[in-house]
Amino acid sequence: MNAGLLNLLRRLVEKGKLTVVFSSGEKVVLGDGTGKPAAIRFADAGAEKAVLHDPGLKFGEMYMDGRVLVEEGDIFDVLAIVKSNDLDKAATFTNSIVALGHIFRQQMKSRLPVNRNRYNVAHHYDLDGKLFNLFLDEDWQYSCAYFHPPGISLDEAQRAKKRHIAAKLLLEPGQKVLEVGSGWGGMAMYLAESSGVEVTGITLSEEQLKVSRERAARRGLSDRGVRFELQDYRTMQGRQFDRIVSVGMFEHVGIGNYGNFFRKMKELLNPDGVMLLHSIGQIYKPWATNPWIEKYIFPGGYIPALSEVLPRVESNRLLVKDIEILPLHYAWTLRAWRERFLAQREEAVRLYDERFFRMWEFYLAASETAFLYDKHFVFQLQLSPSLATVPVSRDYIAIKERELLEFEKTRERLELVAV
């Protein structure tokens, strides 16, 4: 038995019930016995040493490689037990040094002038479209849904998200809208069809660009002011828009680039324009992304605290007109994605392999627990250079949402291109 790892796990798991079987065959039950139990087994001594040295990175890797096996419950149950405890109390001197190394490397990378945005985007978003079709809603909205009212389906919640954002944009027919990070085109098409605006969606994913253009063409929107471009926002010149929307893209900007991001947004926004920024946030400065997530899922990603974002907004003389915090909506979204993905295990393995399946299962489970136990949230910032553009009361949001809901009842059903 690895005595060092046992000592670490004992300090870590004070609440819950986690059974650990070491490669030697010895079994230990950790925690106070409360809650849903789970059990894991280490397949070899090397996996135990790796997790002891760098748990933030190596536990996920060992699970991917089949060297940490879940024998009761699933990986979500294991991570939920761990996250429900005080992780800071379990840190050893060696673990802390390793974690500081991860922080230093990520902070340095976020400030390097080398443009790796297209590589980082392709790493995740240029995967086979059939993968995303396994678990996303009918419109392939790959960001936090809005479960209002509570208990609605994933498809309904994603429509509610688009409706909520459109209402905050205060759209008028004929306005020019820029979507920064346009995904597979669903938001742009919704804004154009519901409000009569012209939308330019920009992305760094060639696969998303292809799908977006095909979808717009099939809906007859290509000739009605909806266009998609393979474009980095940083190099856009000589253009201004009445509205800017960005959903689930800011997490990829990097902390070292926030000032430049908001400077460019102000440059691209008309003086009386409105911007809506939708992003994941944290309650404290994280300094770095979880190293496993950074390596395997979102290279270059960073989830900020609002205290890291708002100073850059203010320094660029953008007015914060509205802030809304959505605390658990992403946990519910991720739960729906994870359940759908697990139900399609056979197809996911066929598309890639068992290791890839375990990697994505771990990603979805770890992300869900982050919103449940690490107090991650989603924030929506409504920004404008103008004091007068946005009404002084929030009543207009609910009024506009009711209008958009009526529009949705008559809207032709969305269709994805064949995948």
Side-chain angles (χ1 to χ4, degrees):
M1 180 187 298
N2 188 311
L5 179 58
L6 176 59
N7 184 43
L8 174 67
L9 292 172
R10 277 180 169 156
R11 292 201 311 274
L12 178 62
V13 183
E14 295 181 346
K15 297 186 297 183
K17 183 181 179 181
L18 179 65
T19 300
V20 180
V21 181
F22 289 86
S23 59
S24 62
E26 295 171 278
K27 180 187 296 187
V28 177
V29 181
L30 305 169
D32 60 7
T34 60
K36 185 177 181 181
I40 61 172
R41 177 169 60 86
F42 287 91
D44 60 84
E48 296 169 3
K49 291 178 182 178
V51 172
L52 173 61
H53 176 71
D54 187 358
L57 173 63
K58 294 300 181 179
F59 185 75
E61 286 189 342
M62 295 302 102
Y63 181 74
M64 287 166 55
D65 292 341
R67 297 169 68 185
V68 168
L69 303 164
V70 179
E71 299 196 322
E72 182 179 2
D74 59 23
I75 193 62
F76 172 83
D77 300 322
V78 174
L79 294 174
I81 292 172
V82 172
K83 291 289 188 74
S84 65
N85 285 270
D86 185 353
L87 277 73
D88 292 336
K89 291 172 61 176
T92 65
F93 177 76
T94 301
N95 296 155
S96 298
I97 295 299
V98 171
L100 285 172
H102 289 308
I103 291 171
F104 177 77
R105 285 189 291 274
Q106 288 188 34
Q107 288 281 331
M108 288 298 294
K109 280 200 300 184
S110 76
R111 288 164 169 80
L112 290 174
V114 178
N115 181 0
R116 292 180 60 83
N117 281 9
R118 187 167 294 186
Y119 164 81
N120 292 339
V121 167
H123 177 88
H124 191 88
Y125 296 98
D126 283 353
L127 293 168
D128 193 321
K130 293 185 178 68
L131 171 70
F132 296 102
N133 202 42
L134 296 180
F135 65 93
L136 295 182
D137 66 298
E138 62 185 4
D139 192 28
W140 280 18
Q141 289 291 303
Y142 194 29
S143 59
C144 177
Y146 183 45
F147 286 85
H148 181 67
I152 58 178
S153 70
L154 177 63
D155 286 315
E156 291 171 317
Q158 290 292 12
R159 286 195 294 272
K161 183 263 300 292
K162 290 178 284 190
R163 189 187 315 137
H164 197 52
I165 289 172
K168 290 184 179 183
L169 283 169
L170 295 155
L171 299 168
E172 298 290 343
Q175 288 178 332
K176 297 186 185 311
V177 179
L178 172 67
E179 184 181 10
V180 183
S182 51
W184 290 282
M187 178 66 75
M189 293 192 297
Y190 181 91
L191 299 181
E193 292 182 350
S194 68
S195 306
V197 293
E198 298 180 16
V199 187
T200 299
I202 61 173
T203 180
L204 293 178
S205 166
E206 294 186 4
E207 285 300 313
Q208 289 186 330
L209 177 70
K210 176 185 174 183
V211 171
S212 298
R213 285 177 170 173
E214 289 178 1
R215 294 183 75 194
R218 288 173 60 172
R219 293 185 72 82
L221 294 171
S222 301
D223 299 325
R224 291 163 50 195
V226 176
R227 62 186 64 86
F228 297 99
E229 301 172 4
L230 193 68
Q231 171 72 57
D232 192 320
Y233 72 89
R234 294 175 297 183
T235 58
M236 293 189 75
Q237 299 291 336
R239 301 160 76 177
Q240 279 196 315
F241 299 86
D242 303 296
R243 301 290 185 263
I244 298 177
V245 61
S246 183
V247 179
M249 173 271 179
F250 190 68
E251 298 90 334
H252 303 282
V253 168
I255 187 173
N257 300 309
Y258 289 169
N260 291 333
F261 175 82
F262 288 110
R263 189 174 304 117
K264 176 57 77 169
M265 294 302 103
K266 186 178 181 182
E267 176 188 318
L268 294 170
L269 193 60
N270 284 333
D272 59 350
V274 175
M275 176 178 183
L276 194 287
L277 177 67
H278 171 118
S279 173
I280 303 172
Q282 300 196 48
I283 61 171
Y284 51 81
K285 292 182 180 181
W287 300 113
T289 301
N290 171 275
W292 185 88
I293 292 288
E294 207 279 336
K295 180 176 180 179
Y296 290 98
I297 306 299
F298 292 119
Y302 184 85
I303 297 172
L306 279 171
S307 59
E308 296 174 299
V309 177
L310 293 178
R312 301 296 176 261
V313 173
E314 294 168 355
S315 66
N316 283 287
R317 298 296 188 266
L318 284 167
L319 304 178
V320 178
K321 306 300 295 181
D322 189 86
I323 299 179
E324 184 173 6
I325 303 298
L326 306 178
L328 285 173
H329 292 261
Y330 220 154
W332 300 330
T333 304
L334 285 154
R335 169 63 61 90
W337 288 349
R338 185 169 62 87
E339 289 176 346
R340 288 175 170 218
F341 185 71
L342 292 177
Q344 297 288 337
R345 178 188 184 112
E346 197 172 295
E347 179 63 16
V349 171
R350 190 189 67 77
L351 284 172
Y352 288 95
D353 54 31
E354 285 282 354
R355 186 174 187 269
F356 184 92
F357 175 84
R358 288 193 295 268
M359 179 177 74
W360 269 67
E361 180 192 12
F362 191 90
Y363 151 55
L364 293 171
S367 299
E368 185 180 342
T369 58
F371 287 89
L372 291 172
Y373 299 103
D374 297 338
K375 301 181 178 66
H376 284 26
F377 57 88
V378 166
F379 63 86
Q380 291 185 347
L381 288 184
Q382 185 191 53
L383 308 173
S384 178
S386 167
L387 184 64
T389 301
V390 177
V392 296
S393 165
R394 300 182 88 244
D395 295 347
Y396 73 92
I397 299 175
I399 293 170
K400 187 61 179 177
E401 283 180 312
R402 286 194 291 270
E403 294 175 5
L404 291 166
L405 187 58
E406 291 303 310
F407 152 75
E408 290 169 17
K409 292 176 182 178
T410 64
R411 190 186 188 199
E412 182 183 344
R413 186 180 181 276
L414 285 167
E415 291 183 8
L416 283 163
V417 296
V419 293

